[in-house]
């Protein structure tokens, strides 16, 4: 079943020149967590006009300030009364991996197991929800229900290596100048439920204020939550540039136009695509997955967006 990104919206933005054309929108779960400036920056990601103004339905321009954005109908107005133009850029679809370290190849499994252990050693709670890892009867941490999630998807390992993203997005410690995709700095500890929401871009992290941004109702309970300061200050956490990449994908998925249709599935990298077709998954979606695995999809635009 496809996730409907448009239906829950309580902020809708239309083209001033074509008032029935919805160019974007947002499900705002917490009215105390998003400023006018931050919302306009979201629109900047996919509106390609050199400049535009955002107005309320009463014709009042929304300033780029720290006032809180309000739910309602808005109109984007381009200069010289031209149409609002939207980028063709789409978000990078990602598979939800039930647990890091489950790959079939021995060497890959070893690397992802090390990734999982490193993320666990750094984090003792779900980074987004704040849920603490419990202790067992012996006082040891029990990680049942917690998973090490990749910020940049493991499925795009070829892109990571081809574009040397370990140099671009990781802090490049002296011991790891070109970090692998399984660097701890590409990981977050999340509960399994939050991991699924993170991988489907229903939830992300605003790298400007380190607050959780929720884009769909299932994630609304964490909207506006600020990450723990100990994580923010940790030298081995994911860089702001890497968090920005995921945040951008979430905006392209949820805020741009009517929202990007993504299939609601927990398909893993080991799933056979032919089987997926037999089970009735969207053919276009399966073809796109195949393109991803053949390394035909490259995040060049993302490289520019986080510089």
């Amino acid at each position: 079943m496809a996730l409907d990104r448009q239906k829950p919206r309580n902020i809708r933005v239309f083209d001033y020149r074509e008032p029935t054309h919805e160019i974007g929108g947002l499900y705002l779960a917490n009215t105390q967590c998003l400023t006018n400036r931050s919302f306009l920056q979201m629109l900047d990601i996919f509106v390609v006009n050199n400049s535009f103004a955002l107005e309320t339905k009463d014709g009042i321009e929304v300033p780029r300030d720290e006032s809180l954005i309000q739910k309602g109908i808005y109109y984007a107005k381009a200069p010289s009364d031209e149409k609002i133009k939207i980028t063709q850029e789409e978000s990078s679809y990602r598979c939800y991996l039930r647990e890091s370290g489950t790959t079939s190849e021995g060497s890959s499994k070893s690397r992802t197991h090390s990734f999982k252990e490193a993320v666990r050693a750094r984090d003792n709670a779900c980074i987004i929800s704040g849920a603490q890892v419990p202790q067992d009867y012996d006082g040891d941490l029990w990680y049942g229900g917690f998973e090490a999630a990749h910020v940049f998807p493991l499925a795009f390992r070829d892109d990571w290596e081809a574009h040397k993203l370990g140099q671009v997005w990781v802090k490049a410690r002296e011991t790891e100048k070109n970090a692998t995709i399984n660097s701890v700095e590409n990981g977050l500890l999340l509960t399994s439920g939050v991991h699924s929401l993170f991988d489907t871009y229903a939830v992300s992290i605003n790298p400007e204020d380190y607050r959780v941004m929720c884009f769909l109702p299932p994630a609304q309970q964490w909207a506006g939550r600020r990450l723990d300061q100990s994580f923010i200050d940790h030298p081995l956490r994911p860089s702001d540039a890497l968090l920005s990449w995921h945040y951008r994908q979430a905006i392209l998925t949820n805020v741009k136009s009517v929202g990007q249709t993504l299939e609601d599935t927990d398909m893993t990298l080991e799933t056979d695509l032919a089987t997926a077709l037999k089970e009735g998954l969207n053919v276009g979606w399966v073809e796109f997955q195949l393109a991803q695995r053949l390394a035909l999809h490259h995040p060049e635009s993302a490289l520019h967006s986080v510089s």
Side-chain angles (χ1 to χ4, degrees):
M1 183 177 71
L3 296 175
D4 189 339
R5 309 281 175 159
Q6 183 184 27
K7 187 176 181 179
R9 288 177 175 175
N10 46 34
I11 294 179
R12 293 177 182 268
V13 182
F14 296 87
D15 187 339
Y16 178 84
R17 186 173 175 181
E18 297 182 357
T20 60
H21 177 213
E22 186 169 355
I23 67 164
L26 176 69
Y27 168 72
L28 184 63
N30 184 343
T31 58
Q32 302 300 310
C33 70
L34 188 66
T35 65
N36 291 337
R37 181 176 61 83
S38 293
F39 182 63
L40 283 163
Q41 286 176 338
M42 288 184 180
L43 300 183
D44 287 338
I45 287 176
F46 58 86
V47 175
V48 299
N49 301 74
N50 290 330
S51 62
F52 68 94
L54 187 68
E55 296 183 355
T56 67
K57 62 181 180 180
D58 297 322
I60 301 173
E61 184 171 345
V62 177
R64 288 180 180 261
D65 62 12
E66 299 307 307
S67 301
L68 296 173
I69 191 73
Q70 300 300 308
K71 300 175 183 178
I73 302 296
Y74 294 87
Y75 295 92
K77 189 175 183 180
S80 302
D81 202 29
E82 62 187 38
K83 290 183 179 180
I84 294 292
K85 300 179 179 65
I86 303 298
T87 178
Q88 295 300 308
E89 180 185 356
E90 299 287 349
S91 65
S92 298
Y93 189 79
R94 51 193 294 149
C95 291
Y96 168 47
L97 292 177
R98 293 186 183 89
E99 176 63 271
S100 295
T102 58
T103 53
S104 57
E105 298 180 14
S107 59
S108 296
K109 184 172 183 178
S110 175
R111 288 194 294 271
T112 51
H113 178 76
S114 298
F115 166 78
K116 178 174 66 177
E117 293 302 311
V119 170
R120 286 180 173 182
R122 186 196 61 204
D123 306 335
N124 59 4
C126 173
I127 297 305
I128 285 177
S129 73
Q132 296 290 314
V133 176
Q135 294 181 336
D136 61 19
Y137 291 112
D138 297 323
D140 297 322
L141 293 176
W142 185 69
Y143 287 92
F146 287 79
E147 299 173 354
H150 289 79
V151 179
F152 188 82
L154 188 60
F156 299 159
R157 185 198 305 269
D158 290 345
D159 290 324
W160 179 281
E161 295 173 352
H163 297 285
K164 294 182 171 56
L165 300 184
Q167 295 177 1
V168 178
W169 286 342
V170 175
K171 297 186 184 70
R173 308 185 303 279
E174 291 185 4
T175 56
E176 198 172 2
K177 291 296 186 183
N178 187 22
T180 70
I181 198 168
N182 288 314
S183 165
V184 66
E185 294 179 57
N186 186 36
L188 298 171
L189 188 67
L190 304 173
T191 62
S192 57
V194 174
H195 188 179
S196 178
L197 293 170
F198 186 79
D199 277 2
T200 53
Y201 302 122
V203 64
S204 190
I205 298 168
N206 186 335
E208 285 202 346
D209 57 11
Y210 305 110
R211 292 189 183 278
V212 176
M213 187 67 206
C214 300
F215 295 93
L216 291 175
Q220 63 183 331
Q221 59 187 306
W222 309 300
R225 179 184 178 273
R226 193 170 190 271
L227 305 189
D228 292 341
Q229 192 63 44
S230 59
F231 175 80
I232 295 172
D233 293 338
H234 201 291
L236 300 184
R237 69 164 175 83
S239 66
D240 290 353
L242 190 51
L243 294 178
S244 293
W245 179 85
H246 186 275
Y247 190 60
R248 180 185 183 89
Q249 305 312 304
I251 290 168
L252 290 171
T253 300
N254 296 282
V255 183
K256 174 192 167 188
S257 188
V258 296
Q260 186 171 335
T261 300
L262 300 179
E263 297 295 334
D264 181 12
T265 175
D266 62 353
M267 185 179 190
T268 66
L269 292 178
E270 294 76 37
T271 301
D272 181 75
L273 291 175
T275 301
L277 280 171
K278 291 178 182 178
E279 292 178 352
L281 285 179
N282 179 274
V283 174
W285 181 87
V286 175
E287 290 176 344
F288 185 67
Q289 278 295 305
L290 182 59
Q292 299 284 15
R293 298 183 194 189
L294 293 175
L296 297 178
H297 178 77
H298 300 294
E300 287 88 356
S301 57
L303 288 172
H304 296 297
S305 69
V306 298
S307 58

